Amino acid sequence: VPLVFGYDKAIVRMDPSGHATVLVGIHSHGQGLETTLAQIAADQLGVELEDVRVVFGDTESCPYGNGTFGSRSAVLCGGATDLAARKVREKLVGVAAYLLDANPTDIELSRGVARHTDGSGREITIKEVARVVHLRPERLPPATDPVLEAVAAYSAEPGRGTYSNAAHLAVVTVDIETGHVRILRYVAVDDCGRMINPMIVKGQIHGGICQGI
């Protein structure tokens, strides 16, 4: 089966200040991938969007990938970012639970805070958790590596990929003598499933229509 979409990788790491860096093998061509990938990581890590930095195009530090083409990046690199961020999240939750004397299943990460879900008010900032992991190993759970970094790869079904659905209709007039086409109306209906960033999706649809015309 020929390679169609392949795979992509992402590295997610959090420093002692609680800021996260996402290193990816794709590159943004103006389609807002910096925002999209940062949103995915921020959502998993429970931090604010401005606390996430996305790095691409640096062959010294970024992982290998299959490149940006065919509307593959949000699916494959977004998937890799999600998987890597989940691994870091698991470490954050485990350490936060230990520090709060709680079960990991009772800890939620949101808006920069790890809090107990029982309503008791027990919580700790994610920045403090990151500081403990990196700088205070004596406060970590036994046998816990002082690392907040993970790498993951994501691939769509080999050779098939994944696709959205759309229907576009153009009402036009055509000058049969000159061949000049005039667009009277253009209607597009796109169903891409769950949108990471609706504004970016809308912009891509508009851009695709303009290029097609």
Side-chain angles (χ1 to χ4, degrees):
V1 177
L3 175 68
V4 177
F5 281 93
Y7 70 92
D8 247 289
K9 297 177 184 176
I11 300 169
V12 175
R13 67 169 62 110
M14 182 174 284
D15 62 31
S17 72
H19 290 80
T21 300
V22 181
L23 301 105
V24 294
I26 52 86
H27 201 293
S28 179
H29 292 180
Q31 65 273 58
L33 287 173
E34 306 98 313
T35 301
T36 300
L37 298 178
Q39 280 184 262
I40 292 172
D43 185 60
Q44 284 297 344
L45 299 173
V47 299
E48 300 293 345
L49 187 62
E50 56 266 26
D51 290 334
V52 180
R53 181 172 69 105
V54 177
V55 179
F56 43 71
D58 184 347
T59 55
E60 277 195 322
S61 59
C62 292
Y64 286 102
N66 281 174
T68 301
F69 61 92
S71 299
R72 67 188 294 280
S73 299
V75 174
L76 296 177
C77 198
T81 299
D82 182 71
L83 292 176
R86 284 175 185 267
K87 294 179 182 180
V88 176
R89 176 191 179 90
E90 184 177 356
K91 173 70 72 67
L92 290 171
V93 167
V95 174
Y98 183 79
L99 295 174
L100 294 175
D101 192 25
N103 191 304
T105 58
D106 295 326
I107 297 296
E108 67 174 10
L109 306 182
S110 177
R111 303 183 68 83
V113 175
R115 61 174 55 87
H116 200 295
T117 56
D118 65 356
S120 63
R122 283 185 288 169
E123 63 181 35
I124 184 172
T125 65
I126 293 173
K127 291 183 179 181
E128 176 63 14
V129 175
R131 192 183 73 83
V132 168
V133 172
H134 285 288
L135 305 177
R136 299 293 303 276
E138 79 281 0
R139 295 180 61 190
L140 292 175
T144 299
D145 292 329
V147 177
L148 282 176
E149 181 172 335
V151 59
Y154 182 90
S155 62
E157 187 176 352
R160 295 187 62 183
T162 179
Y163 304 89
S164 59
N165 298 283
H168 291 226
L169 174 67
V171 180
V172 304
T173 60
V174 180
D175 188 317
I176 61 175
E177 292 186 358
T178 66
H180 177 73
V181 178
R182 179 166 170 258
I183 298 174
L184 303 179
R185 189 182 182 204
Y186 195 102
V187 179
V189 178
D190 288 77
D191 178 11
C192 64
R194 185 178 181 184
M195 293 181 286
I196 301 169
N197 188 309
M199 184 172 66
I200 288 177
V201 172
K202 188 175 181 179
Q204 286 195 301
I205 292 171
H206 287 180
I209 291 172
C210 290
Q211 291 182 54
I213 291 174

